[in-house]
Amino acid sequence: MSGKLITTIVIIVIALIILSLSIFIIDQTEQAVVLRFGEIINTYSEAGIHFKTPFIDNVKKFEKRILLYDIEPEKIITEDKKTLIIDTYALWKIANPQKFIETMRTKALAESRIDDIVYSHIRNVFAKHTFDEIISDRREEFLREVTKLSREDLKDFGIEVVDVRVKHADLPNENIRAVYERMKAERYSIAAQIRAEGQKEAQKIRAEADKKATVILAEAQSKAEQLKGIGEASSTRIYAEAYQQDPEFFEFWRSLSSYNDIFKNGTVILGDMEILKYFSK
Amino acid sequence: MRKFIVLIVIAIIVVIFLSTGVYQVGPSEVALIKTFGKYSYTTGPGIHFHLPYPIQSRVIVDIQSVRKEEIGFRTVTTYGKVTYRSVPSEALMLTGDGNIISVEAAVQYKVKDPVKFAFNIISGKDIVRFTAESVLRERVAVRKIDDVLTIERDKIAQETAQVLQEILDSYDAGISITNVYLQEVAPPDDVVAAFDDVNNAKQDKERFVNEALKYANDIVPKAEGQAEQILREAEAYAKQKVLEAEGETRRFLSVLKEYRLAPEITKTRLKIEKIQEVLSDIKKVFILDKSGTLKLIDLNQFIGGGSQ
C-alpha cells in the first residue's frame, strides 16, 4: 500500500519536473526566442505560457520595453567651423528578437553599435548645418533626420530606434569664456547708453527750464517797460496839459525851482546861461 | 501522531504558499496583476488576494503621488532643513542670440496609465528627466536672452510642458506632466555684475532725470516770482510818475491861478524869494559873462543887510 503511494508520488513529481521543463512564462515586459541547438525555431512576443521541448530547446528572453541609452557627449564641428559639444541619448527597443540574437546577442554590444551609428549620423547631419541653425527651431528637424537614418541602419539588427534627442548642446569651455566676455561688453555698453540717455534727458529738462525762466523774466521785463512807458506818457501829458496853459509862466516857474540844485554848494561859477538873466535884470 | 505532524507541516506549507498571493495596495497605488506573466487586471487600494506563485504575480504602481525631476538644481535636505544646490552644468543653456543663461526648472509628473508606465518603458524617471532637459533647452535656444529673463518665462514653461507631454505620449509612456515650473532664471555667475550694472544704469537714469526735474521745479517758480516783482515795480514806477506829475502840475496850476491876478508883482516876488532862499548859504558867486570876464558878485549888493 505504501509502496504504491510512493510510486504514485514519484510519478507525479517526475511529471511535474518534465512539465516545468517544457513550459516557460514570458512576462508582459519580455519577448523570447526559442533556440534548438543554437538554431532559432521560434520567437514569442506575446506574454503568457508557452511550450518548448524539454532538454533540447533553449529559451532566451529579451526586454520588450523602451530602453534608454545615454550617449557620451561628443565634440562636433558645424558647417561654419564652430565647435559644439553635443550630448545625445537614444531611446530604442528590440523590435525583432530573432535578428537581434543573430547580430547582437547582448544589450551591451547593441549599445556600442547604437553609439557608433547615432553618433556618426549626428555628426554628419549637424556638420551640414551652421551653428545658428542647430541652436534654432530647426534642431528638431535635424534630429528627426538622425532618428530616421539611425532607424534605417539599425533595423537590420532587430533594433528599433524610437527617438534620438539632444540633451545638451553646449559650447566648449574656451568658447564659453569668449561668450561671457562678449556678454559683459554688451551689457556694459547698454548700461553706458542708458546712463547717457538719462543725462541727455536731464540736460533737456534743465535747458527747457532755463529757457522757460529766461523767457518769463524777459516777458516780465518787456511788460515792465511798457508799463513804465505808459506811466511816463501819462505824466508827460499831464505836465504838458498843465504847463501849456501858460508857457511863459512855466518857464519862469521851472527855472526858479532849478536854482535850488544849481546853488547847492558854497561857490558857484555861472556861464552865460538863460537863467542868469534873472540875475542881471 | 506522526501522521498528524505531517499533516500540520503540509498545512503550514500550503498556507505559506497561498500567502504569497496576499497583497496590500496603498491609497495612492494600484496593483497590476499578471497571470503567467501576462497582464490581466488592475486592483485598487486595500487587501487583495491573487493566485500564488507561479500562476499570478503583481506590480504595484503609485499613480497618485506627484513625482518631481529637478533640472539645474537639487533639493538637499539636511536635518530637516531644505536647501538648494545649483548644478551649473545642467542649468547653463545657450540662447538663440548666442548668449548663455542659467535656467533652473522643476518638472512635476505622475503616472496616468499604470499599464503603459509599467510595461512600455523601463527608466521612466530618466526618460522624463532627459526629455525635459532636451525640450527645455530647445525652447530656450529659440529665444533671446532678454526675453528668457523677462517676458517669455511663462511661455517657456508652458511650451516645455506641452512638448514634453507630446513626446512622452509618442513613447506610450503613460506619464502625465502636471507642471513645469521655471525656478531661478538668471545670467551666469560670471556675467551677473554686468547685468546688474544695466539695472544700476536704469536707476541712475531715473536719478538724473529726477535731479533735473528738481532743478526745473526750483528755477521756474523762482523766475515767475522775479517776474512778478519786476512787473509790480514797473507798475509802481508808472503810478509814481503819474502821481508826481499830477502833484506837480496841481501845484503849478494853483500858483498860476494866483499869478494871473498880478503877474508882474508875483514874478518879482517869487524871484526875490528864490534868490534869497538859494543864496542865503552861498558866499561867492562867479559869473562868466559874454565878454569872457569873470565877475565876482557881491551878494550883499543884491540882497542887502549881509554881515560882511
Side-chain angles (χ1 to χ4, degrees):
Chain A
M1 182 60 201
S2 82
K4 217 174 182 182
L5 180 72
I6 289 168
T7 314
T8 316
I9 289 174
V10 167
I11 287 170
I12 290 173
V13 167
I14 289 173
L16 274 175
I17 289 170
I18 289 175
L19 188 68
S20 74
L21 285 172
S22 60
I23 63 167
F24 62 96
I25 293 169
I26 301 179
D27 192 81
Q28 188 73 34
T29 61
E30 292 170 337
Q31 47 194 337
V33 173
V34 178
L35 297 163
R36 184 170 295 164
F37 305 120
E39 188 198 345
I40 297 158
I41 58 157
N42 221 336
T43 59
Y44 298 95
S45 56
E46 188 70 14
I49 282 197
H50 296 275
F51 297 93
K52 58 165 186 159
T53 316
F55 308 113
I56 299 168
D57 290 352
N58 189 11
V59 178
K60 276 211 154 204
K61 291 177 182 171
F62 297 99
E63 190 59 62
K64 209 165 74 177
R65 294 176 284 187
I66 293 178
L67 299 158
L68 176 69
Y69 176 55
D70 192 2
I71 302 168
E72 281 294 296
E74 294 279 2
K75 252 187 200 177
I76 63 151
I77 295 173
T78 62
E79 199 208 6
D80 48 349
K81 307 283 172 287
K82 285 182 182 161
T83 312
L84 262 178
I85 295 172
I86 300 269
D87 187 357
T88 38
Y89 65 95
L91 292 167
W92 63 286
K93 58 184 180 187
I94 301 163
N96 187 335
Q98 186 176 344
K99 276 186 186 166
F100 188 78
I101 199 169
E102 282 169 355
T103 53
M104 289 295 149
R105 299 198 179 278
T106 65
K107 198 175 143 201
L109 198 64
E111 282 180 343
S112 85
R113 200 71 215 210
I114 292 169
D115 200 319
D116 295 344
I117 288 174
V118 170
Y119 173 54
S120 140
H121 285 311
I122 291 254
R123 180 167 266 202
N124 289 346
V125 171
F126 281 24
K128 282 187 216 136
H129 298 284
T130 62
F131 177 84
D132 286 344
E133 282 174 328
I134 292 165
I135 304 297
S136 76
D137 251 344
R138 297 191 59 198
R139 192 199 291 173
E140 196 73 4
E141 182 188 313
F142 305 152
L143 286 172
R144 271 202 296 274
E145 199 182 335
V146 172
T147 308
K148 203 182 115 214
L149 291 169
S150 310
R151 192 176 287 170
E152 206 61 41
D153 285 357
L154 286 159
K155 205 169 64 186
D156 295 338
F157 303 112
I159 290 169
E160 185 197 330
V161 175
V162 178
D163 207 354
V164 175
R165 300 194 59 85
V166 170
K167 194 163 42 160
H168 290 207
D170 292 328
L171 292 168
N173 276 336
E174 54 275 22
N175 292 18
I176 287 177
R177 289 280 119 225
V179 169
Y180 284 168
E181 286 313 311
R182 202 204 64 229
M183 284 171 80
K184 276 192 226 169
E186 238 172 57
R187 292 292 138 174
Y188 284 132
S189 100
I190 291 173
Q193 195 193 341
I194 291 170
R195 287 201 176 91
E197 269 169 16
Q199 263 151 353
K200 182 184 100 184
E201 232 164 277
Q203 215 143 20
K204 211 170 110 186
I205 292 166
R206 272 172 217 270
E208 203 71 52
D210 282 342
K211 178 187 131 191
K212 218 165 158 186
T214 309
V215 169
I216 287 168
L217 286 178
E219 275 174 352
Q221 213 80 53
S222 150
K223 200 146 173 232
E225 293 303 321
Q226 286 175 41
L227 286 171
K228 282 181 188 171
I230 290 168
E232 277 162 355
S234 299
S235 77
T236 306
R237 201 188 61 239
I238 292 164
Y239 283 127
E241 272 171 8
Y243 294 152
Q244 78 186 355
Q245 289 188 21
D246 193 331
E248 198 204 332
F249 179 66
F250 164 68
E251 207 178 325
F252 171 72
W253 168 263
R254 186 67 188 84
S255 304
L256 278 188
S257 68
S258 69
Y259 291 164
N260 289 44
D261 286 340
I262 294 169
F263 295 104
K264 243 191 298 196
N265 299 318
T267 304
V268 165
I269 296 172
L270 299 169
D272 191 16
M273 296 159 106
E274 181 63 16
I275 52 163
L276 290 178
K277 73 184 178 198
Y278 299 107
F279 284 99
S280 44
K281 266 183 200 167
Chain B
M1 191 58 204
R2 253 180 74 187
K3 227 173 186 177
F4 183 65
I5 290 172
V6 169
L7 272 176
I8 286 182
V9 167
I10 288 173
I12 288 172
I13 289 171
V14 167
V15 166
I16 289 173
F17 175 63
L18 289 178
S19 73
T20 60
V22 177
Y23 63 97
Q24 192 186 338
V25 181
S28 64
E29 297 167 339
V30 291
L32 311 175
I33 307 303
K34 295 187 281 191
T35 311
F36 293 117
K38 187 180 164 67
Y39 166 72
S40 39
Y41 62 92
T42 305
T43 55
I47 284 268
H48 300 277
F49 176 74
H50 64 62
L51 295 174
Y53 179 85
I55 304 163
Q56 287 193 322
S57 61
R58 60 183 182 267
V59 180
I60 290 179
V61 182
D62 186 339
I63 57 160
Q64 290 295 332
S65 300
V66 174
R67 300 155 195 238
K68 191 169 103 167
E69 281 300 314
E70 295 168 334
I71 296 170
F73 73 105
R74 298 284 178 274
T75 305
V76 189
T77 315
T78 36
Y79 306 112
K81 247 178 94 180
V82 176
T83 50
Y84 300 98
R85 184 169 54 84
S86 202
V87 184
S89 62
E90 267 175 31
L92 294 179
M93 304 182 184
L94 280 170
T95 60
D97 49 359
N99 291 309
I100 294 169
I101 191 169
S102 166
V103 179
E104 296 176 0
V107 179
Q108 290 184 346
Y109 66 102
K110 58 186 197 178
V111 175
K112 79 173 163 189
D113 187 334
V115 176
K116 284 181 179 171
F117 182 75
F119 302 137
N120 285 352
I121 55 169
I122 295 184
S123 28
K125 188 178 157 68
D126 285 341
I127 288 181
V128 169
R129 162 169 214 92
F130 283 23
T131 315
E133 263 189 66
S134 154
V135 174
L136 181 61
R137 270 161 201 279
E138 268 171 30
R139 294 296 98 200
V140 168
V142 298
R143 288 179 164 85
K144 293 198 174 88
I145 185 165
D146 288 331
D147 294 342
V148 177
L149 281 169
T150 55
I151 49 171
E152 297 277 282
R153 273 186 65 123
D154 293 349
K155 252 185 156 174
I156 290 170
Q158 202 185 316
E159 283 177 22
T160 303
Q162 193 194 330
V163 175
L164 185 54
Q165 185 67 64
E166 281 166 20
I167 291 172
L168 291 173
D169 286 348
S170 79
Y171 302 157
D172 245 355
I175 289 167
S176 160
I177 301 296
T178 28
N179 256 312
V180 173
Y181 294 109
L182 287 199
Q183 310 284 326
E184 197 182 314
V185 178
D189 288 346
D190 293 56
V191 296
V192 160
F195 275 74
D196 286 348
D197 192 46
V198 172
N199 292 332
N200 291 343
K202 285 178 187 159
Q203 297 299 322
D204 285 350
K205 182 181 172 183
E206 296 266 302
R207 206 186 72 230
F208 293 154
V209 170
N210 286 335
E211 277 169 2
L213 284 174
K214 186 179 139 203
Y215 172 78
N217 289 339
D218 178 54
I219 190 173
V220 173
K222 268 187 187 162
E224 281 167 355
Q226 226 171 321
E228 284 298 315
Q229 194 187 350
I230 291 168
L231 286 175
R232 297 293 91 81
E233 275 172 11
E235 279 168 11
Y237 172 82
K239 198 80 191 164
Q240 183 194 14
K241 281 285 152 189
V242 170
L243 290 172
E244 267 174 20
E246 279 172 2
E248 268 177 56
T249 52
R250 221 162 274 154
R251 178 176 167 194
F252 172 76
L253 290 173
S254 306
V255 177
L256 179 64
K257 207 171 123 196
E258 301 312 317
Y259 160 78
R260 275 181 181 155
L261 295 175
E264 284 312 311
I265 278 297
T266 308
K267 227 176 188 175
T268 310
R269 181 181 61 81
L270 286 172
K271 228 174 5 182
I272 290 165
E273 270 176 18
K274 179 58 76 175
I275 288 167
Q276 186 181 7
E277 179 198 334
V278 166
L279 297 186
S280 62
D281 288 342
I282 287 175
K283 309 286 180 301
K284 286 170 191 162
V285 173
F286 297 92
I287 292 180
L288 200 60
D289 72 358
K290 276 173 192 149
S291 61
T293 328
L294 199 62
K295 284 184 192 164
L296 175 63
I297 294 173
D298 186 356
L299 292 177
N300 295 331
Q301 267 184 345
F302 272 99
I303 305 160
S307 53
Q308 290 178 336

